[in-house]
Amino acid sequence: MKSRKLSRKRQRATIIGAAAASVVAGAALLPNWSAGAASVTADPKVDASTKATFQRLADAVFTDRTDALVDNDGAKQKTSRFSGDVRLSSTQSRAEKSALAKLESRKARLAELGEKYRSANTTVSLDRTVVKGRHATVDVTETTTLAYDKAKGTEPKTTGFEAHHTLTFKADHKGDWQLTNIRDTDDGVAVNQVAATTYTATPMTGGNTPPSATRSAITQPAPAKPKNFSATGLDYKAMAAYVAKYWNNYNPSYPNFNGEGAGGDCTNFVSQALKAGGWKHVPGYTNDFHKWFGNSDIQSDSFVGVNEFSWFALSSKRATSLANVYQADVGDVVQEDFNKDGSKDHTMIVTYRSPQGVPYVSYHSNNTYNRSLASIIASYPNAAYYAYRT
């Protein structure tokens, strides 16, 4: 997402009760849970066992979301891997049912675009658990891998991402916990995420009117637009290699703009990759969009901001607009404006292009590697897209 905006445990308490109903019309099923618990008067204490239950619940929820995207050839959707007792609030049950239904629809759109996932694996780890009285806040990291169906030749066999979430729990008068809310804390676009964060552009200084990018079509097949890899003097293989190395293992030589209020790390990461492939610094004032530079100490707005990057890339003629996103090749850049308000929200770099003409993109916030552009478009069909030949 938009970088630096510039732009942002009662011993063995158990989580018990009946929760989410199954999703109709082929959607993934949430587990059915039974009620019953001993009554207590003191506030519940979270021990290792309860923490593990929190973790398994989170694993189950996000596994269900991912499984809703997996093609099962008409077979009944498998239920969650979680087998313990747990309770979701009525509001959260409805939210999960809605999310699963939306992901089923996304799977159908993906199939129309010729993409299917044959399997998936999701794991969730607890990063931090805070308990105050009868309220618990749990920060988790989700790691998901999806296997592309019928991948051929040199095409990527899998796509993967990391995402961060905050789960809130509330204990009733008996000390029984229920999950009340899930909040995505990355400014990201994970494939099993049903909403995206949008932003408002920040006015820039630096003289002159920023150039306007040309919106790219998302139709297939795209008109031919072969890339001359030797004409620019840039090393596009080095760009792809940099992304492969640092997509989920951040380079300590640069700041990380993920986290609350930091704005996201997507453009910062893409700029790093371009720099690794040969883009040179243009020093100057940080807020002059004609300048572009970044290191551990200081970064220009154009190095870390979505819109500002576009303005620099076009005005410097280091990039030109592509008429269709499916024309993008390795080292090219794709941006999204989720709500079409004129302010671009997310920056990605192409790390592979299939013989069938489908670009695969990688990005930070959420950390994602080799996700097909078809999947992006199926997830956000109403967004505006901008592609740049570098």
Side-chain angles (χ1 to χ4, degrees):
M1 280 303 177
K2 190 162 298 184
S3 306
R4 193 187 64 179
K5 201 59 181 172
L6 296 179
S7 26
R8 71 144 181 279
K9 197 232 289 195
R10 224 165 122 81
Q11 295 291 324
R12 196 174 176 272
T14 54
I15 304 172
I16 297 177
S22 62
V23 177
V24 297
L29 298 177
L30 290 173
N32 291 320
W33 299 297
S34 58
S39 177
V40 297
T41 57
D43 286 347
K45 304 297 181 182
V46 177
D47 57 14
S49 177
T50 302
K51 284 186 179 181
T53 305
F54 286 169
Q55 186 272 324
R56 290 195 303 271
L57 171 60
D59 185 77
V61 168
F62 294 113
T63 293
D64 284 345
R65 291 187 181 184
T66 305
D67 285 348
L69 294 166
V70 175
D71 184 70
N72 51 23
D73 295 324
K76 182 178 179 181
Q77 174 69 43
K78 67 180 181 180
T79 58
S80 165
R81 293 181 297 170
F82 182 68
S83 59
D85 295 322
V86 67
R87 182 178 181 182
L88 278 71
S89 69
S90 58
T91 299
Q92 191 58 35
S93 295
R94 290 192 297 269
E96 287 308 300
K97 180 177 180 178
S98 175
L100 292 171
K102 291 177 180 177
L103 291 169
E104 285 285 338
S105 297
R106 181 174 298 174
K107 178 172 68 175
R109 291 196 300 271
L110 274 169
E112 292 174 356
L113 293 170
E115 179 168 316
K116 296 180 179 180
Y117 304 119
R118 62 176 174 81
S119 62
N121 181 66
T122 292
T123 59
V124 177
S125 60
L126 261 67
D127 301 323
R128 180 171 175 264
T129 301
V130 176
V131 178
K132 295 182 179 180
R134 296 178 181 270
H135 297 268
T137 301
V138 182
D139 296 333
V140 302
T141 297
E142 172 196 2
T143 303
T144 289
T145 301
L146 295 111
Y148 289 114
D149 188 37
K150 301 178 181 178
K152 302 176 182 178
T154 60
E155 291 180 47
K157 303 298 187 295
T158 63
T159 181
F161 68 87
E162 289 181 344
H164 300 88
H165 316 275
T166 296
L167 285 66
T168 55
F169 295 84
K170 182 179 180 180
D172 62 18
H173 66 284
K174 296 180 180 180
D176 300 329
W177 294 99
Q178 63 176 340
L179 175 66
T180 58
N181 186 58
I182 297 173
R183 181 170 60 89
D184 302 322
T185 57
D186 292 325
D187 296 323
V189 286
V191 66
N192 67 351
Q193 183 175 317
V194 295
T197 305
T198 58
Y199 299 88
T200 300
T202 298
M204 297 298 298
T205 60
N208 301 324
T209 301
S212 298
T214 301
R215 183 173 167 182
S216 303
I218 57 174
T219 55
Q220 289 182 285
K225 187 72 172 181
K227 185 171 185 175
N228 189 336
F229 285 88
S230 61
T232 63
L234 298 176
D235 190 340
Y236 296 102
K237 289 184 178 179
M239 295 179 188
Y242 184 93
V243 173
K245 182 176 182 179
Y246 291 114
W247 73 271
N248 67 342
N249 180 26
Y250 286 30
N251 188 341
S253 296
Y254 295 92
N256 175 358
F257 292 114
N258 285 327
E260 292 288 337
D265 201 62
C266 66
T267 307
N268 182 39
F269 181 53
V270 169
S271 290
Q272 293 170 35
L274 293 168
K275 182 179 173 181
W279 276 35
K280 303 300 183 183
H281 281 175
V282 181
Y285 290 108
T286 59
N287 62 352
D288 182 350
F289 69 80
H290 298 99
K291 311 305 179 182
W292 184 86
F293 53 90
N295 54 36
S296 60
D297 300 317
I298 190 171
Q299 308 80 36
S300 66
D301 292 353
S302 60
F303 198 92
V304 299
V306 181
N307 292 288
E308 298 81 0
F309 171 86
S310 172
W311 300 340
F312 169 78
L314 294 174
S315 65
S316 66
K317 302 188 185 305
R318 291 192 181 186
T320 56
S321 294
L322 289 169
N324 191 299
V325 293
Y326 285 103
Q327 294 172 330
D329 211 323
V330 175
D332 292 338
V333 175
V334 178
Q335 295 186 319
E336 289 177 273
D337 174 3
F338 294 115
N339 59 359
K340 297 181 181 177
D341 66 350
S343 174
K344 302 172 187 66
D345 302 303
H346 185 47
T347 306
M348 306 168 284
I349 188 167
V350 179
T351 44
Y352 177 80
R353 179 180 171 86
S354 76
Q356 294 74 34
V358 177
Y360 289 70
V361 296
S362 301
Y363 51 88
H364 278 179
S365 311
N366 310 99
N367 306 330
T368 297
Y369 185 60
N370 279 346
R371 180 178 176 185
S372 80
L373 196 54
S375 170
I376 298 285
I377 293 170
S379 300
Y380 306 101
N382 298 318
Y385 291 85
Y386 301 85
Y388 310 84
R389 171 62 42 87
T390 63

